[in-house]
Amino acid sequence: MRTKVFAFIAFFFFGILIFGLFYTQALKYEYYKGLSERNRIRVIPLEAPRGKIYDRSGRLLVSNRIAFDVEVIFQEIKDENKTVDLLSGILAIDRRALEKKIDAARKRPFAPAKIAKDIEKEKAIRVEEISLDLPGVIVTTRPLRNYLYKNSLSHVTGYIGKISEPELAKYKVYGYRMQDFVGKDGIERAFNDYLRGVDGGLQVEVDSRGRQINILAIKEARQGRNLYLTIDIELQEFCHELLKEKTGAIVVMDPSTGAILALVSQPDFDPNAFVSPQRSGEVSRLLNDSGSFPMINRAISGTYPPGSVFKIAVFAAALDTGKFNDTKTFFCDGSHRVGNRVFHCWKEEGHGAQNVRNGIKNSCNVFFYQLGLFLGVDEISKYAFKMGLGRPAGIDLPGEVSGLVPTPSWKRRKLKQSWFKGETANYAIGQGYLLVTPLQIVRFLGAIASGGNLPQPYVVERIEDIKSRRTEAEDTGIRHKVLEALKVGLGDVINAKGGTGYYARSKEVIIAGKTGTAQNPHGDSHAWFAGFAPIDDPRICVVVFIEQGGKGGLAPARSAKKIIEETKKLGLL
Amino acid sequence: MHFKNFDRTLFFATLAILLIGLLTLYSASREYHSQDIVFRQVFWIIFGIVVLFAILRVDYQRIASLSYIFYGATLLFLVMVLFSGRAKGGAHRWISLGFFNLQPSELAKITLILALSSYASVRRSDVTKISFFCKAFLLAIPAFLLILIEPDLGTALLLIPVTLAMLYMAGVNVMHILGVMLLGLASFPVFWHFLKGYQRQRLFVFINPNIDPLGSGYTIIQSKIAVGSGGIFGKGWLAGTQNQLNFLPERHTDFIFSVVGEEWGFVGALVLILLYALIVYRGIKIIETTPDTCGKLIATGLVTLFTLQVLINIGMTIGFLPVVGLTLPLISYGGSSLITTLLCIGLLLNIGMRRPLF
């Protein structure tokens, strides 16, 4: 019995299906035949412009301009020779190349084929004029990304490019097509889903000659969402100018929130090159330049030894653990012996007896060798990690790296060697295995400036009207008294007589900070300066890093001062 | 081997459909895909038929006795695929085995049928109890959920009617089945909440394809035009404009029936459907004549599965059902689907061959 019911249900549905087919193929035949014959429904995509990007005061940074393309529909071309003649004249394209392109269009005679992309407006107007006499030639427009500030913002905005095959496979369900552009780096990549609009299109019916008969459906393209950054474009350009022709990075951050006011990495690139078909040579040069790596955002993806800037962490560890206090001193006679190795201070004749305040002001290496050895490597690493080194700062840009905070167990695991005492001495002055990014350093300073909170840096303030998602600042747990002592010490570095950061001294605002000159086995030393201002109520944190820039107390300190004075002028301080 | 009881009709109907499939695939792929597709399909067919005959050699009762192990292994694969599966179209469905991409959800259809059958045949004295019913469902739920989160909505939903049909044939209380169906309807709003954006979109588009004429609606519109414009006798092999001018997306896989409809018309489509119905009819004969509960239930599961795939796939090409991503058995391009289907048919033939002779 149940088998009968089962069979009945199965065949009942087969019956419905046959009826459905009969309905579609016999009863509605004329209708569908009509659609199919005139057919050939053609879809003309309407590309959606990406969202615009603005700076903190609403100044336009990235927008879209109109690009003019020339297309041909092979089927409609009447006189191929005349078409090639006229077009090659106006577009200044070689006849042969143009013939080739038109020949390629022959394969899909009904579909428009692009023969020239992003031509000048004047040329577009002339093509439009002659297209009345040249059937089959059309000028189309599409939005093209336009980076108004070119190179100066390149590592923040990133760039866009044609979707790659793996990306396409991944995002196909979200409606991406083969020729679509997606963000490849920077904000363009990290916020691609917001910036990307919803493409629209026309679905048109065309007859067998490819002529449009009727529009079946229209879907308007919708622009992507606009982003508002924390960047101040004037400050950004100012910093960019300071670093011109150099290799390095500058980051300016508000320590209370983590908002990035400027972020520059040199060498840089012009993101406009990536959307302009005429500049493909430049693009491949940029992407393959393995000498200067212009595509690397050194502020977040470059790792370097911090040099003396790191003494701040050792200072904090010494006082915060209570193992050391301001009454204790170490003596500097210009060098220090650990085992059979002699470590030198940068000042040959020595600094004499140094307490911690003098130690940091003079950036006395011997003082910090001894302090480091006294604390031990584990304590130093613990504080380095607490202060945000050795892990990503969590900025909303892609490609951030962690750097490296070494420990004896790390060394055993990675290098299969035990930790040497001499390495602790070297570590205490920011040399050796330790690697940091400029962004980590500015965050590290931010923790001191903000009274112990490690801010999470970010560049996107809001998406349209919605605040971007961020995490709370992380409490380092370092005691207030220690932070105050550090501030005083860092103030001395710049403002006390004989301070190593003398060149950052400003008449307009009291700056605190630390210089760093990191030995570089591959060439000249790397130069660092990291600081904040005003000292009693810090509003701005700055890091200036110059690859092979020599002494941190010179160019970086000078630049940092200029930047801070500029922020004051701009009303950011 | 009792080749006397080998169901030749069923087997030759299968071969006929495979042949129609190859001709259609040739037509669908010759312009815009590489010709490899047909050769590869031929390879899968040969391989599938070898599998079919291999299955015949093993008594289905022995297969059924290992069903829990098979089912357990399938669940393991399903878990694996979530972590390491190759993502295609945003879903984790495949495990790469080098020359072949294994799709565990295909496997799950069969192993679930086996597991349910051996469960129900062992416990057949409890069959009318609610506890029997619930436990049977609990058995099916892991596979259902794992496939659902891949996400492979079509296959997951397929498991529900298959389970219900098997329980029905096992003799459970009809009220229980109706109860579950009502519950399913009532839980639709909750279910809706868990659907991915593109899946919701497909359901919207099913209701009105014109809301998205360029995206998901495009396939349905083009498919309907193709089938409808085929008329009674079709446009002729290799002459379907919708097909040959590249208007039909996915026409070598999920939407291959549109090509049949366009090029061979209602007459061709009818022949194909009748061939499918013939297989179903022979399958039901096997259900009817198999006295052993386990075999009967396996056959029920397989026949239901096969019927549903055919109905749903063709239904979606003419816009009667939403697009859920199911292949057309024996015709759509693809090794996983083809081999699973031939394996199912092998099992069915196996049950038919080994019915005890009194």
Side-chain angles (χ1 to χ4, degrees):
Chain A
M1 180 56 204
R2 290 203 175 197
T3 316
K4 293 249 162 14
V5 174
F6 180 83
F8 175 78
I9 294 175
F11 290 119
F12 174 73
F13 281 117
F14 269 106
I16 290 187
L17 195 60
I18 291 171
F19 170 75
L21 276 170
F22 184 74
Y23 171 79
T24 313
Q25 299 191 283
L27 302 183
K28 298 269 277 182
Y29 170 63
E30 290 299 329
Y31 170 73
Y32 284 122
K33 187 187 151 206
L35 276 181
S36 147
E37 254 176 20
R38 274 173 283 128
N39 189 1
R40 296 47 138 133
I41 293 175
R42 189 197 293 157
V43 173
I44 302 172
L46 297 172
E47 209 174 302
R50 283 172 83 81
K52 294 175 184 164
I53 302 178
Y54 297 90
D55 89 338
R56 63 188 296 117
S57 16
R59 283 170 291 203
L60 190 58
L61 305 177
V62 181
S63 68
N64 305 290
R65 64 182 173 83
I66 294 174
F68 298 94
D69 299 338
V70 181
E71 295 180 346
V72 294
I73 296 172
F74 186 80
Q75 184 72 14
E76 289 183 22
I77 295 177
K78 283 213 183 88
D79 187 339
E80 214 181 311
N81 252 323
K82 189 177 154 202
T83 309
V84 173
D85 275 344
L86 287 172
L87 283 184
S88 69
I90 298 172
L91 301 173
I93 307 179
D94 178 52
R95 262 195 77 103
R96 294 280 298 279
L98 197 60
E99 273 168 3
K100 246 186 183 165
K101 282 183 175 168
I102 290 179
D103 219 42
R106 193 192 302 271
K107 285 185 189 131
R108 298 189 66 185
F110 300 110
K114 280 209 166 92
I115 57 164
K117 286 180 187 169
D118 193 15
I119 59 170
E120 284 125 55
K121 198 174 170 186
E122 291 70 31
K123 287 183 180 171
I125 292 170
R126 284 178 62 198
V127 175
E128 188 75 57
E129 277 167 0
I130 60 153
S131 71
L132 292 173
D133 308 324
L134 282 183
V137 175
I138 40 179
V139 176
T140 58
T141 59
R142 68 193 153 97
L144 204 63
R145 208 59 166 152
N146 189 14
Y147 299 88
L148 274 64
Y149 290 88
K150 300 195 172 86
N151 295 45
S152 50
L153 206 58
S154 54
H155 288 289
V156 175
T157 58
Y159 62 99
I160 59 173
K162 285 240 173 72
I163 191 163
S164 67
E165 277 199 28
E167 282 168 334
L168 185 64
K170 215 166 137 192
Y171 296 126
K172 212 170 171 186
V173 288
Y174 301 109
Y176 282 90
R177 287 188 310 255
M178 197 114 79
Q179 298 294 313
D180 280 351
F181 278 82
V182 291
K184 295 284 186 180
D185 203 356
I187 289 170
E188 291 277 28
R189 172 157 161 210
F191 290 82
N192 188 53
D193 291 349
Y194 299 100
L195 287 168
R196 175 183 179 241
V198 180
D199 284 348
L202 293 175
Q203 193 181 41
V204 294
E205 270 181 287
V206 289
D207 69 5
S208 59
R209 291 193 46 215
R211 272 186 316 210
Q212 189 173 315
I213 296 175
N214 183 10
I215 294 179
L216 286 181
I218 301 185
K219 191 170 151 197
E220 297 282 348
R222 209 171 65 220
Q223 192 200 291
R225 275 178 262 187
N226 296 334
L227 298 187
Y228 293 83
L229 308 188
T230 56
I231 298 286
D232 183 286
I233 189 62
E234 280 185 66
L235 184 66
Q236 174 81 17
E237 287 207 286
F238 184 82
C239 296
H240 180 251
E241 197 57 39
L242 280 178
L243 215 52
K244 214 161 212 170
E245 312 288 314
K246 298 191 175 83
T247 300
I250 293 178
V251 185
V252 184
M253 184 184 78
D254 176 345
S256 60
T257 58
I260 300 289
L261 301 170
L263 188 150
V264 176
S265 168
Q266 280 284 6
D268 54 19
F269 58 92
D270 179 1
N272 292 306
F274 290 83
V275 289
S276 175
Q278 286 87 7
R279 292 169 72 177
S280 60
E282 185 181 341
V283 167
S284 69
R285 262 201 311 284
L286 282 170
L287 293 175
N288 298 317
D289 185 343
S290 52
S292 66
F293 295 105
M295 304 309 292
I296 300 275
N297 183 350
R298 287 167 164 76
I300 65 171
S301 311
T303 60
Y304 311 92
S308 302
V309 177
F310 186 67
K311 289 170 183 167
I312 295 171
V314 183
F315 184 118
L319 296 187
D320 198 49
T321 52
K323 290 185 179 169
F324 199 78
N325 59 43
D326 11 350
T327 60
K328 293 188 184 171
T329 58
F330 286 119
F331 191 83
C332 169
D333 59 6
S335 66
H336 186 70
R337 175 182 285 275
V338 182
N340 53 9
R341 243 185 101 184
V342 176
F343 292 87
H344 292 278
C345 192
W346 59 271
K347 192 172 173 185
E348 264 174 53
E349 62 272 30
H351 289 100
Q354 297 276 296
N355 65 9
V356 66
R357 190 170 167 179
N358 286 328
I360 196 107
K361 183 191 94 181
N362 296 327
S363 199
C364 173
N365 287 353
V366 168
F367 173 82
F368 278 96
Y369 293 143
Q370 296 177 80
L371 185 58
L373 288 164
F374 172 71
L375 287 171
V377 53
D378 290 322
E379 209 69 78
I380 299 174
S381 293
K382 192 173 127 197
Y383 274 83
F385 195 74
K386 261 192 191 180
M387 298 173 81
L389 306 182
R391 56 195 165 118
I395 195 170
D396 45 358
L397 290 174
E400 209 200 332
V401 297
S402 342
L404 175 66
V405 168
T407 59
S409 67
W410 164 83
K411 196 183 172 197
R412 255 197 314 279
R413 217 172 42 245
K414 278 280 167 202
L415 305 178
K416 313 267 182 259
Q417 280 175 357
S418 49
W419 186 271
F420 304 120
K421 254 191 147 182
E423 288 174 334
T424 307
N426 224 3
Y427 183 21
I429 63 159
Q431 299 283 149
Y433 304 112
L434 180 66
L435 289 173
V436 300
T437 66
L439 181 70
Q440 284 173 334
I441 290 298
V442 81
R443 189 178 183 225
F444 172 87
L445 263 284
I448 300 158
S450 68
N453 287 324
L454 258 186
Q456 196 215 326
Y458 65 96
V459 288
V460 174
E461 179 68 38
R462 57 197 164 89
I463 301 161
E464 301 279 358
D465 290 327
I466 305 151
K467 273 206 157 200
S468 62
R469 191 171 49 180
R470 296 153 216 157
T471 47
E472 291 255 311
E474 172 188 327
D475 189 2
T476 53
I478 297 173
R479 286 181 294 140
H480 255 264
K481 231 177 74 187
V482 178
L483 293 168
E484 285 310 313
L486 249 176
K487 274 191 194 172
V488 172
L490 295 179
D492 286 354
V493 168
I494 291 159
N495 304 298
K497 188 162 178 277
T500 45
Y502 167 79
Y503 281 109
R505 193 182 300 173
S506 166
K507 291 192 191 79
E508 296 170 37
V509 53
I510 302 177
I511 300 172
K514 184 77 194 78
T515 61
T517 306
Q519 278 163 25
N520 167 22
H522 310 292
D524 282 344
S525 298
H526 297 318
W528 288 92
F529 182 87
F532 53 83
I535 189 164
D536 41 355
D537 177 23
R539 308 290 294 273
I540 295 287
C541 266
V542 185
V543 65
V544 178
F545 168 74
I546 302 173
E547 253 179 55
Q548 309 202 353
K551 285 210 172 359
L554 303 177
R558 273 203 199 98
S559 299
K561 179 189 100 171
K562 284 184 194 155
I563 291 166
I564 288 169
E565 286 176 349
E566 182 71 12
T567 59
K568 190 169 183 199
K569 213 165 85 192
L570 294 171
L572 296 164
L573 198 63
Chain B
M1 300 276 276
H2 312 267
F3 263 101
K4 205 168 64 179
N5 274 330
F6 180 78
D7 193 330
R8 286 189 183 78
T9 316
L10 201 164
F11 183 69
F12 285 116
T14 305
L15 289 186
I17 294 174
L18 286 172
L19 188 66
I20 293 176
L22 279 180
L23 290 175
T24 313
L25 193 61
Y26 175 76
S27 172
S29 63
R30 73 182 185 127
E31 205 61 48
Y32 288 89
H33 297 277
S34 92
Q35 210 50 78
D36 278 9
I37 279 190
V38 176
F39 290 120
R40 272 191 233 163
Q41 185 81 341
V42 170
F43 171 75
W44 294 128
I45 287 176
I46 293 168
F47 189 66
I49 289 175
V50 171
V51 168
L52 184 150
F53 280 105
I55 283 285
L56 285 182
R57 301 191 68 86
V58 191
D59 190 328
Y60 75 87
Q61 307 244 11
R62 279 194 56 201
I63 299 172
S65 68
L66 296 173
S67 63
Y68 289 125
I69 295 171
F70 289 145
Y71 186 54
T74 309
L75 292 181
L76 206 66
F77 277 136
L78 284 170
V79 172
M80 266 167 62
V81 89
L82 287 180
F83 294 107
S84 65
R86 294 196 14 201
K88 285 198 184 168
H92 295 272
R93 295 180 184 173
W94 279 266
I95 293 177
S96 183
L97 297 179
F99 73 108
F100 182 60
N101 289 331
L102 178 72
Q103 209 178 340
S105 57
E106 289 285 338
L107 221 53
K109 296 175 193 166
I110 304 179
T111 56
L112 174 64
I113 289 171
L114 290 173
L116 274 173
S117 303
S118 67
Y119 169 75
S121 58
V122 170
R123 296 290 176 81
R124 63 172 165 275
S125 50
D126 301 340
V127 76
T128 51
K129 290 184 188 155
I130 183 94
S131 65
F132 171 90
F133 188 81
C134 292
K135 280 181 194 158
F137 249 88
L138 280 181
L139 192 61
I141 276 174
F144 174 76
L145 288 181
L146 284 170
I147 295 173
L148 192 65
I149 57 180
E150 271 182 13
D152 184 351
L153 183 63
T155 307
L157 288 182
L158 209 53
L159 297 182
I160 299 176
V162 169
T163 307
L164 287 176
M166 289 175 69
L167 291 175
Y168 175 74
M169 292 297 280
V172 299
N173 192 334
V174 176
M175 295 314 281
H176 292 166
I177 292 179
L178 291 177
V180 165
M181 285 170 141
L182 278 178
L183 207 69
L185 276 182
S187 65
F188 185 74
V190 181
F191 181 64
W192 179 256
H193 181 75
F194 286 104
L195 285 183
K196 302 236 166 184
Y198 75 91
Q199 292 172 330
R200 288 188 197 175
Q201 179 73 6
R202 278 180 178 176
L203 290 179
F204 282 134
V205 167
F206 165 57
I207 295 159
N208 178 11
N210 293 321
I211 57 172
D212 188 9
L214 308 165
S216 24
Y218 181 77
T219 315
I220 298 180
I221 293 173
Q222 293 300 343
S223 166
K224 276 160 85 171
I225 294 176
V227 176
S229 64
I232 301 287
F233 298 106
K235 296 176 186 168
W237 188 48
L238 306 182
T241 51
Q242 288 288 103
N243 170 22
Q244 305 296 338
L245 294 177
N246 203 16
F247 284 113
L248 274 174
E250 297 179 53
R251 61 176 179 277
H252 61 297
T253 55
D254 292 0
F255 278 87
I256 198 161
F257 184 81
S258 321
V259 179
V260 177
E262 183 181 26
E263 300 195 342
W264 289 334
F266 179 66
V267 173
L270 189 65
V271 168
L272 180 62
I273 291 181
L274 289 178
L275 281 169
Y276 279 124
L278 181 60
I279 291 181
V280 172
Y281 173 73
R282 295 308 301 179
I284 292 173
K285 276 278 167 241
I286 289 172
I287 299 174
E288 217 168 33
T289 50
T290 303
D292 160 51
T293 308
C294 186
K296 204 182 187 76
L297 291 181
I298 296 174
T300 305
L302 297 174
V303 171
T304 313
L305 184 66
F306 186 81
T307 309
L308 282 170
Q309 289 230 147
V310 171
L311 292 174
I312 293 174
N313 180 280
I314 298 180
M316 79 188 189
T317 59
I318 53 173
F320 274 36
L321 290 169
V323 177
V324 286
L326 287 180
T327 53
L328 183 61
L330 304 172
I331 296 209
S332 284
Y333 170 72
S336 257
S337 148
L338 199 54
I339 289 166
T340 327
T341 312
L342 286 170
L343 202 150
C344 286
I345 287 175
L347 259 175
L348 201 58
L349 288 168
N350 187 333
I351 296 166
M353 270 164 59
R354 285 193 173 72
R355 51 177 180 252
L357 299 163
F358 295 107

